Every structure is written in C-alpha cells, then in structure tokens.
Amino acid sequence: MIVVTGATGNVGGPTIEILRSRGLKVRGVSRHPEHPDDVAADLADLDAVKAALAGATAVFSIVPAEPNQLDMEKNVIEAAKVAGPQVVARLSSLGANPEGEDSVSRVHGQAEKLLEESGLPYTHVRGNYFMQMFLTQVDTVVNQGLFATCCVGSAQVGFVDTRDIAEVAAKVLTSTDYVGKTLKLTGPELLTFAECVAKLGTAVGKDLKFYDMNSDDYRNILIGAGVSEYLAGHIIGLYQRVGAGGSAVITDEVAMVTGTPARSFGTFAADYADRFKLKN
Ligand SMILES: NC(=O)c1ccc[n+]([C@@H]2O[C@H](COP(=O)([O-])OP(=O)(O)OC[C@H]3O[C@@H](n4cnc5c(N)ncnc54)[C@H](OP(=O)(O)O)[C@@H]3O)[C@@H](O)[C@H]2O)c1
C-alpha cells in the first residue's frame, strides 16, 4: 500500500492517478478525500496520521505551506516510523536550506534534516517553481487579461510541471533505487515570468499583460484576496529568492528518472489553455 499525503493537491493528485493507472494500491490522505480508497486525516493530528499511514510500504509526504508545517512534517515522520515503509519520499523545494533567508527554503531545509535524522529510508524530491502556480491566477487572467507577481524582475526560472514531479515520484515510490538521494526537478528551459505570460497568451489566443509589483503592493493584494499573513510572507519571500536568481536552475533529472524529457512551458500552456479562456 502506497500512502500519499496532500492527495488532492498539485503533486499528490497526478501522482495517485499514475500509480492507480498502473494497478497499484494507493491510499490518498487529505482532509477532504475525493476517492473511495482515500482517507480523511488532518496532518496536525498525530493519531489520525498514524491511522492513515498504517500498513504503508511507501509514503509520499506532501505537507502544505501552513504556519504549523514543521509540526505536520514531524507527525508524518513519527507515523512512518510506526509503519516501517521501504521509502519515504518527501516533496521539497529546490532551494531547501535549514538556514535559508526565506521561509520556504528554511522550512523545507529543516524538514529534510528531520527526515534524515529519523533514520527512515528517505528521498528528497525537490521541485523548482511549479508551472501549475499560474493556475492560481486563472480568474485575473480570464477577467482582466493579466498575471501579477512581485520582485521577480527579469529573473529566469526553470519552471517544472507537477505532472513530471508525479512521474518521478511514481518511480521513487516503487523502488529502493532512490533511497538516500536528493532529486532536483526542473523543466527543460530557463524562462522569465514575462516570457511565460507571453506563451500563455499565445496558447489562449489573447494578449496578456504581466505586472511585476513591489512587495508591499503585492502583499496588500494577497491579504485582500483572503490569503493569510503567513502565506503572503511565504510567497513574497519565495518571489524575492526567485528575483535574486535562486530558481534559475535546470537539470535533466526528470528525464534521468523517467526516461522522458520534462514538459516545456509551451506544453503546459497548451494543455491548460481552456482553463484560461473566458467561458461563454
Ligand atoms: N508551489 C511551488 O512552486 C512549490 C515548489 C516546490 C515545493 N512546493 C511545496 O509543495 C507543497 C505543497 O504541495 P502541492 O502544491 O502539491 O499542494 P497543494 O496543491 O497546495 O494542496 C495541498 C494538499 O494538502 C492537503 N492539506 C492541506 N492542509 C491539510 C491538513 N491540515 N491536513 C491534511 N491535508 C491537508 C489538501 O487537501 P485538503 O485541503 O482537503 O486537506 C491538498 O491535498 C508545499 O510544501 C510547498 O512548499 C511548492
């Protein structure tokens, strides 16, 4: 039984789909399960996490960006110690560093350290900035024809498609070949946000505008849209790291693990174009 937390998210969703399409037994974990084989558990509740991971032969630990992320990470580790899987793959961030300046890199660096120190057979699955994050602004793209960030300027990014992270995870979870390894997953090319927005516009058939704001204005917009102070700070810190060139990385590790080249941003834009089109 392969257990995947964050089962309904950007990475957990496609990972489970791939594993199930190969006939493997999977139990997805989230607070609002969407499949009959999945279970409801809050990662903040250790007993619930232990029950959700019982009998796991492999675990994919995907923990959401919340103020209590490290506590939830610890709960998954404690529950995995009881279950005794052959591998605990953990979704991490490309810039993971326990002493990192921004909270994204710091939390992921500290969580990786906790997992290593647990003695569990781990694999760090570090993703660069997800292409699917463009979906978080579908409404403004559709209604106002614009996409906004802060602090990124003309920095380049090796954006990765979460479907490729899922393909890699499916390999990692069904073998012991990647135990003890750190995988750095990116797309095949370096692009600026402005170039991505132009590609998205081509796919959608619309001239989209790109706004790169200062951090204060962006924070106000996020808070106004109902984003928590913590998550707003988390996102802005990430954009500042991106702006300083911290995500200007490409590797061939998707292809090395899966045998298939990582998807380009053009492929992402074409595949998701309908979501960015005005519904009549
Ligand atoms: N965005 C990026 O570019 C990027 C890059 C590298 C790494 N990451 C990391 O990726 C992780 C997030 O993965 P994702 O984007 O695939 O997830 P996501 O799309 O944000 O979805 C979060 C998932 O976690 C579940 N969840 C949320 N709170 C929960 C709780 N308290 N207990 C149990 N389940 C809970 C959600 O389902 P319910 O709401 O139903 O519980 C959902 O399945 C974060 O650690 C982030 O730092 C992100």
Side-chain angles (χ1 to χ4, degrees):
M1 171 68 72
I2 300 171
V3 176
V4 179
T5 69
T8 53
N10 293 309
V11 177
T15 302
I16 292 175
E17 208 176 300
I18 293 165
L19 293 169
R20 287 197 174 126
S21 75
R22 295 179 187 164
L24 294 159
K25 285 190 74 174
V26 185
R27 186 189 300 141
V29 182
S30 68
R31 292 167 305 176
H32 312 98
E34 294 174 354
H35 186 278
D37 293 343
D38 291 352
V39 296
D42 190 323
L43 295 179
D45 177 347
L46 178 57
D47 288 338
V49 183
K50 281 182 176 164
L53 265 61
T57 53
V59 174
F60 192 12
S61 175
I62 301 174
V63 179
E66 296 288 345
N68 62 339
Q69 180 170 348
L70 272 180
D71 291 331
M72 295 193 273
E73 303 272 3
K74 286 178 191 164
N75 285 347
V76 177
I77 289 170
E78 286 312 307
K81 281 186 191 165
V82 179
Q86 66 171 12
V87 60
V88 179
R90 179 186 173 280
L91 181 61
S92 188
S93 168
L94 199 79
N97 172 1
E99 274 103 45
E101 278 180 27
D102 63 288
S103 56
V104 177
S105 63
R106 211 164 44 244
V107 168
H108 280 291
Q110 289 169 2
E112 285 188 355
K113 196 158 172 277
L114 287 171
L115 182 55
E116 286 175 25
E117 288 169 357
S118 73
L120 286 162
Y122 69 87
T123 304
H124 300 314
V125 180
R126 291 185 182 172
N128 207 343
Y129 191 98
F130 299 166
M131 293 178 190
Q132 276 71 8
M133 294 313 289
F134 282 80
L135 296 169
T136 62
Q137 294 190 37
V138 161
D139 286 350
T140 41
V141 169
V142 170
N143 298 317
Q144 297 167 46
L146 68 88
F147 182 88
T149 57
C150 75
C151 319
V152 299
S154 55
Q156 293 183 307
V157 180
F159 297 94
V160 64
D161 192 311
T162 58
R163 294 172 295 179
D164 287 324
I165 300 180
E167 294 285 357
V168 169
K171 288 273 185 195
V172 169
L173 292 164
T174 51
S175 144
T176 50
D177 291 355
Y178 302 96
V179 168
K181 297 211 159 77
T182 298
L183 301 174
K184 296 177 184 158
L185 307 181
T186 76
E189 63 203 328
L190 289 175
L191 293 169
T192 64
F193 273 89
E195 287 167 338
C196 289
V197 172
K199 282 178 186 283
L200 198 55
T202 302
V204 175
K206 198 167 156 183
D207 187 19
L208 301 179
K209 302 213 165 1
F210 170 58
Y211 287 154
D212 188 39
M213 308 177 181
N214 67 51
S215 58
D216 287 344
D217 289 348
Y218 199 66
R219 185 186 304 275
N220 288 338
I221 286 177
L222 290 176
I223 301 292
V227 172
S228 69
E229 284 280 354
Y230 174 82
L231 192 54
H234 211 56
I235 293 168
I236 290 166
L238 173 63
Y239 278 142
Q240 286 167 333
R241 172 153 56 90
V242 168
S247 295
V249 179
I250 45 173
T251 73
D252 59 359
E253 295 192 21
V254 168
M256 277 168 54
V257 175
T258 66
T260 305
R263 290 169 172 88
S264 67
F265 192 86
T267 298
F268 164 82
D271 289 350
Y272 288 82
D274 280 352
R275 301 234 205 142
F276 292 97
K277 286 182 185 161
L278 199 55
K279 310 269 182 306
N280 294 315

